[in-house]
Amino acid sequence: MLKVDSDICIGCGACEECCPFGAISVIDDCAVVGDSCTLCGTCVDACDVDALSIDDIEVPDAGDLGDWSGIWVFIESRHGVVAPVSFELLGIGRQLADDRGVALSGVLLGNDVEGWCDQLIAGGADEVYLVDDPALAQYREDVYGRVLAWLIREKKPEVVLAGATAIGRSVIPQVATALGAGLTADCTQLAIRRQDGMLLQTRPAFGGNIMATIECPRSRPQMATVRANVMAPLEPDNSRRGEVVKVDMGRDLLASEIEVLETVRAENDQVNIQEVEVLVAGGRGLEGEKGFAIIRELADELGGALAASRAAVDAGWVSYPHQVGQTGKTVCPKLYIACGISGAIQHAVGMQSAKIIVAINRDQDAPIFDIATYGIVGDLFEVVPALTRKIKEARK
């Protein structure tokens, strides 16, 4: 916690000027800390009168860091089905484990999910820790967090990876807090230093304007979440052999304060843009809902779906489930057509893994052309209808 000693503060404003997050304001000649403070300590160093200080947080002792070994992937499942992001994490996990010379393990929690173990081994896991119990049929944050934390304390993996999904973002921070471990969210790249096992976790920072590589040198396990469609899964190898370790949990660990009454699937997001092969995306350049009607016709002709930049969603031209980018979804279609999208890094991190990117923009200097496979400089209100007509003619 960042503390301000009002008796010492002289209201000079040095802390306000140096704060990279705009979290400090000087009010009535005294510094006031806002909610966006990240405890980076820049202001503490800048204060000439030592009016600012950060309370030390007591972190559980990880013991000898050399006792921690192995790469773990939290295998996410819902309604008995393993999420695709888990196989993507097994892909990067396999690479990290091979670089480090250790085993790759999957941790699968659920009810009646043992049938997935062979697929997880074929996807790269050396072993699967299986906790199969009716109490885990429904995802409940307190139970899943307690079980994961217990397993990690018992087995001491060096690295734990999870998907940056609704479930991953819910349970993994809880586990990291319980263990006093470092956690980096929404990573776009992972690597490991062979000599000391340091996980190098790269993610967008400062609003996506830079890419930061983060290390956690003083705690174990090193924990990271990764968005769906950022990493590539391995081709399944059904000849691989691995071990399934069945773990029985005490009833105290499976007891929950949460009662799930009913799970209802949303009906308003019929198309998951993370699962389609063709996306036609629109940005600020579409100028309104009428512009989206034009690209929707192109998407329909290609058998694809509609996507959008944050600017278009914020303007109310299309709903949030279609948003691609740092604050939306990460997609990896075979074809991504960007119409009227400038290509700022906040959007690029969500779609740059697409196999083919076609950019349509009247600004020839737009950053989107730097990552595009093909670029068309022109008025999208002329180019897109022309493309749609050509596709229709080719199908006749």
Side-chain angles (χ1 to χ4, degrees):
M1 179 180 179
L2 179 61
K3 287 188 173 181
V4 181
D5 190 328
S6 58
D7 293 332
I8 299 177
C9 180
I10 59 176
C12 66
C15 55
E16 183 177 16
E17 292 177 5
C18 75
C19 179
F21 303 98
I24 301 180
S25 303
V26 175
I27 301 175
D28 295 333
D29 295 326
C30 186
V32 177
V33 183
D35 292 338
S36 57
C37 175
T38 65
L39 301 179
C40 68
T42 303
C43 58
V44 176
D45 296 335
C47 183
D48 291 332
V49 297
D50 296 329
L52 298 172
S53 62
I54 296 177
D55 278 352
D56 290 333
I57 299 173
E58 188 175 342
V59 175
D61 185 11
D64 185 353
L65 299 187
D67 293 340
W68 298 74
S69 178
I71 310 295
W72 276 21
V73 172
F74 169 57
I75 305 300
E76 179 180 325
S77 67
R78 178 168 285 188
H79 306 299
V81 178
V82 169
V85 69
S86 298
F87 290 98
E88 296 166 16
L89 291 174
L90 286 176
I92 185 60
R94 182 73 269 160
Q95 179 182 322
L96 297 175
D98 290 345
D99 287 345
R100 184 66 169 145
V102 296
L104 171 64
S105 304
V107 182
L108 176 59
L109 280 58
N111 181 47
D112 196 22
V113 290
E114 185 175 355
W116 285 92
C117 292
D118 288 342
Q119 293 185 48
L120 297 174
I121 292 170
D126 296 310
E127 59 185 357
V128 177
Y129 290 101
L130 174 65
V131 186
D132 199 316
D133 193 283
L136 299 171
Q138 291 276 14
Y139 169 71
R140 289 174 294 177
E141 180 182 310
D142 56 346
V143 176
Y144 271 59
R146 200 181 303 125
V147 170
L148 275 174
W150 183 88
L151 282 170
I152 290 170
R153 289 192 185 100
E154 287 291 308
K155 303 299 181 181
K156 295 185 180 297
E158 191 171 28
V159 171
V160 176
L161 307 178
T165 61
I167 287 179
R169 287 173 170 154
S170 166
V171 71
I172 295 303
Q174 177 193 152
V175 175
T177 300
L179 298 172
L183 168 63
T184 304
D186 291 340
C187 294
T188 57
Q189 185 178 343
L190 295 172
I192 200 163
R193 269 204 311 256
R194 298 185 183 186
Q195 61 269 33
D196 61 1
M198 189 66 65
L199 184 65
L200 307 177
Q201 306 156 90
T202 302
R203 58 150 294 153
F206 291 97
N209 293 309
I210 64 170
M211 301 300 287
T213 298
I214 299 169
E215 301 177 2
C216 299
R218 293 183 294 276
S219 64
R220 292 294 182 272
Q222 303 164 91
M223 304 182 72
T225 61
V226 180
R227 284 190 174 197
N229 293 313
V230 170
M231 306 298 178
L234 299 176
E235 285 294 326
D237 181 0
N238 293 320
S239 67
R240 293 191 83 256
R241 294 293 177 263
E243 182 182 4
V244 177
V245 181
K246 296 182 180 180
V247 183
D248 292 325
M249 286 290 160
R251 304 321 296 176
D252 56 329
L253 290 175
L254 297 174
S256 178
E257 298 295 326
I258 301 168
E259 181 184 359
V260 179
L261 300 179
E262 185 181 7
T263 300
V264 180
R265 296 177 184 268
E267 298 180 356
N268 59 350
D269 186 18
Q270 307 238 334
V271 177
N272 185 343
I273 63 173
Q274 293 180 303
E275 298 177 355
V276 298
E277 295 186 346
V278 177
L279 285 174
V280 181
R284 197 188 305 274
L286 288 178
E287 300 177 359
E289 294 182 20
K290 291 183 178 179
F292 270 89
I294 294 174
I295 69 168
R296 188 186 298 274
E297 188 176 358
L298 176 59
D300 291 343
E301 284 300 319
L302 292 170
L306 203 63
S309 69
R310 177 175 177 174
V313 172
D314 287 348
W317 301 338
V318 66
S319 60
Y320 175 74
H322 298 277
Q323 183 173 319
V324 171
Q326 185 180 354
T327 53
K329 294 181 179 178
T330 301
V331 297
C332 186
K334 291 183 178 179
L335 174 62
Y336 188 91
I337 303 178
C339 306
I341 295 174
S342 65
I345 189 171
Q346 292 91 337
H347 184 79
V349 296
M351 45 70 72
Q352 60 191 358
S353 297
K355 302 298 185 296
I356 297 176
I357 299 172
V358 177
I360 304 171
N361 201 299
R362 68 180 67 183
D363 179 7
Q364 63 180 7
D365 297 320
I368 191 70
F369 290 119
D370 295 334
I371 59 174
T373 314
Y374 304 101
I376 302 174
V377 179
D379 187 341
L380 67 87
F381 294 100
E382 297 177 1
V383 174
V384 173
L387 278 175
T388 306
R389 285 195 301 270
K390 287 292 185 182
I391 294 170
K392 287 180 178 179
E393 291 172 4
R395 288 184 170 175
K396 290 181 179 179

